[in-house]
Structures are given as C-alpha cells and as structure tokens.
C-alpha cells in the first residue's frame, strides 16, 4: 500500500510514563512526564523534556537535583493526576510515601518499583520545553521487583502513553531476545 | 518493604525501538535506536542518542537530515539485525524497500507503519553519545494503521526494549484513559 502524508506533530508509540520528584518552595512536588529516555550509558544520563511553565522546572533549577520514579500500573490514577494538576495550585506532597537517598532535595516515591536520583548534568533550551539532562547518582528498588539479580520488567509492571488517542498501556508479551534474533538474518 | 540501592546504570522500562535512516557514503543506511523520544511539541522535535562511533552519525552530520521509522513486531529480526551490524562492514541498503519524501538524503522504510523525516535542529555532545535533535518536517503512514482518522497503536504494533534482561516486548492492553483517570483522585 502507498504512504500518505500526515501532519508532522506525531508521537512515538509508545512513550514510558515516569513521575519526576522535586522540592519546590520547601515542599515535595511530583509531575508526570512521558517525554523521557536514557541518553548516555556511562555516566548514566537520562533526559526529560518539561514544559517551560511547569512548577517542577522551578525546583529543578533551584536545587539542581531531582528524582525520576517509574510507577507500576496500580499507580496509574495517581500518575495521571499529578500530570493534570500543577503544584502551584495543589499540594501533591501527601499523595505518596516519600523517601530520601544520598542527595539533598530529592524526594522519591516509596510506592514506585524503580526510583533514581539525579544531579542536573545540563539543561538544553528548546522552543517550548527545557530538556533537563540528569546524571543518575543512585538507583533504588526492592527485591520483589527483581528476578535472578536483575530488574524484572513484568514485576515492575510499567505503563506507557500513546497520543493523540490518549491511552495508557501495559507491557505485552516478550516477542524476541534482543541482540540475538537479528543473527537469524545473517545465517 | 524497604528499598535497596542498586548500581546507577539502570534503564527506563521499556524503551521504544526505532530505526534511523540516513545516507552515508552515497548509500542508504539503517540503525536501530532505543534511546529516543519526543522532546518538544511545536515545532515537533524528537531526540535520539547515538554512540559517537556510529556510522549513522557520519551521515547525519554530513546531510543534516535523517529519518526515524517505527517498525512493527513483524520486523523485529530486521530491526535487531541493523542494531547489531555496522554499515561500515555490511551493506544494509537492500534490507528494506526504501522510499523518499520531501527532503534530500532521507531514506525511509516502506515496511514501517510510521516514518518521519527530520532536519537536524541541534546536536548536543554527551560523554559517549551525541544527542541528535531532529525537527520533523513530514510524517508518513498508511490508512491501514489508522482508526477514526488517528494512528492506532494496536495497528502500528510496535515493540519495546528492556535492559539488562535484553528482551523485546509487544504492547499489552489499555489500562486507562490518559488525562482522565486521574480526575477520580480529586473527586
């Protein structure tokens, strides 16, 4: 079938949903972000794009530290909520059980299977967002989210966002082994 | 349960898999990338982190254009393959049916449900990768991947990578409506 051109403002399919934790005006604040990924292996740097008016950005710029928390599906309503309402108008500090790690001013979410605390590596100004690059200083999980000493995606049970249909999705089934199935092409 | 600290070199769960298309040394070349996401809405800018030695990076820097192609699960072996072998050693130009859009030197993959062509917006140097920011100039799909005038994630049938377990995963089920389920928290 032949291709048709659609408007350029499309999204990837799908985008992982994370919750960013900061201290803003002396209070823990949380915001959902789907424009996020790993960007450098060593040192570990993750990047997230945040709208320039976000209250969270204020905390990141003052403290130069923040957390990224990966929620499981049982937190989907809370994650959606902290993406809808601004910390300017609503106190989101009591929504989760908060814990702290090595860095100052980095609230993390006890209920999330994987939490990382970051120092700002750099902030890249884009037209409508700031791309915050964070170097991961430490990562936290629980034994119950691991299998054979590794984090287990099925136990983490993350969810992803697709747009413009605006749905959250769970992980499906394993379809292949990475860095392995491709070898069948050369054989 | 209490948190345990693990090493900081962790990955998000999961990361979408895309295939980047470039012209390098006058030939179409393709490379798989999982460190990619949307980073700005308008203009539409996606960012992808590419290892500094990648052959693909040479093409992006010369042409200042490239494509991002979202493969469906039936291309999982091919996508894995173009992530394993370098265009320096293997001709990957015949692996897919290639088509072209509005820009010069932007090979796109006919077999992929969604293809976007990009101009380089900026390149941010990170320690071991270059973060290529691409402004999307045009996007291409087919009617069979859409429902009610929108791209349909289930019809696109994308797959995602998790590490360090090294698996590709399909999309699961819809677990909630985004920008909606959170409203139950305030009620």
């Amino acid at each position: 079938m032949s291709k048709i051109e659609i408007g350029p403002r499309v999204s990837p399919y799908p985008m992982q949903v994370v919750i960013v934790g900061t201290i803003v005006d002396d209070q823990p604040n949380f915001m959902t972000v789907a424009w996020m990924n790993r960007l450098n292996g060593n040192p570990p740097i993750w990047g997230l794009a945040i709208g320039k008016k976000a209250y969270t950005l204020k905390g990141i710029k003052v403290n130069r530290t923040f957390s990224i928390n990966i929620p499981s599906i049982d937190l989907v309503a809370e994650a959606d909520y902290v993406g809808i309402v601004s910390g300017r108008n609503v106190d989101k500090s009591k929504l989760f059980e908060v814990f702290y790690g090595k860095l100052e001013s980095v609230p993390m979410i006890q209920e999330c299977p994987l939490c990382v605390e970051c120092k700002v590596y750099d902030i890249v100004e884009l037209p409508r967002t700031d791309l915050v690059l964070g170097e991961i200083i430490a990562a936290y999980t629980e034994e119950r989210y691991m299998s054979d000493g590794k984090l287990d995606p099925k136990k983490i049970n993350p969810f992803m966002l697709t747009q413009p249909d605006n749905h959250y999705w769970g992980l499906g089934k394993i379809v292949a082994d990475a860095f392995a199935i491709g070898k069948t092409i050369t054989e």
Side-chain angles (χ1 to χ4, degrees), chain A residues 19 30 69-76 78-79 92-99 107-115 140-142 144-145 155-157 159:
Chain A
I19 303 174
F30 300 99
N69 305 271
I70 296 183
S72 51
I73 287 174
D74 55 9
L75 290 174
V76 67
E78 287 81 358
K92 296 187 257 185
S93 68
K94 305 288 187 295
L95 204 61
F96 305 107
E97 187 184 336
V98 172
F99 76 100
M108 288 179 280
I109 299 174
Q110 181 69 34
E111 294 89 338
C112 285
L114 179 61
C115 308
Y140 303 88
T141 187
E142 294 169 40
R144 61 177 163 148
Y145 301 118
K155 292 179 177 175
I156 292 175
N157 199 21
F159 57 95

Side-chain angles (χ1 to χ4, degrees), chain A residues 59-129:
Chain A
I60 291 175
K61 288 182 174 176
V62 168
N63 301 307
R64 309 294 290 180
T65 55
F66 61 94
S67 71
I68 302 173
N69 305 271
I70 296 183
S72 51
I73 287 174
D74 55 9
L75 290 174
V76 67
E78 287 81 358
D80 194 54
Y81 175 71
V82 300
I84 291 172
V85 300
S86 169
R88 267 191 202 87
N89 310 315
V90 175
D91 174 8
K92 296 187 257 185
S93 68
K94 305 288 187 295
L95 204 61
F96 305 107
E97 187 184 336
V98 172
F99 76 100
Y100 292 84
K102 291 178 170 3
L103 300 179
E104 279 186 40
S105 307
V106 182
M108 288 179 280
I109 299 174
Q110 181 69 34
E111 294 89 338
C112 285
L114 179 61
C115 308
V116 301
E117 43 180 356
C118 302
K119 276 188 187 171
V120 170
Y121 178 85
D122 201 0
I123 297 178
V124 179
E125 296 242 353
L126 295 178
R128 298 202 181 184
T129 59

Side-chain angles (χ1 to χ4, degrees), chain A residues 2 9 31 39 42 53 66 98 111 116-117 122 124 131 133 137-138 156-157 161-162 172:
Chain A
S2 65
R9 295 183 58 187
M31 176 198 184
L39 297 175
N42 189 15
K53 291 178 186 169
F66 61 94
V98 172
E111 294 89 338
V116 301
E117 43 180 356
D122 201 0
V124 179
L131 170 59
L133 303 173
I137 302 303
I156 292 175
N157 199 21
L161 171 67
T162 57

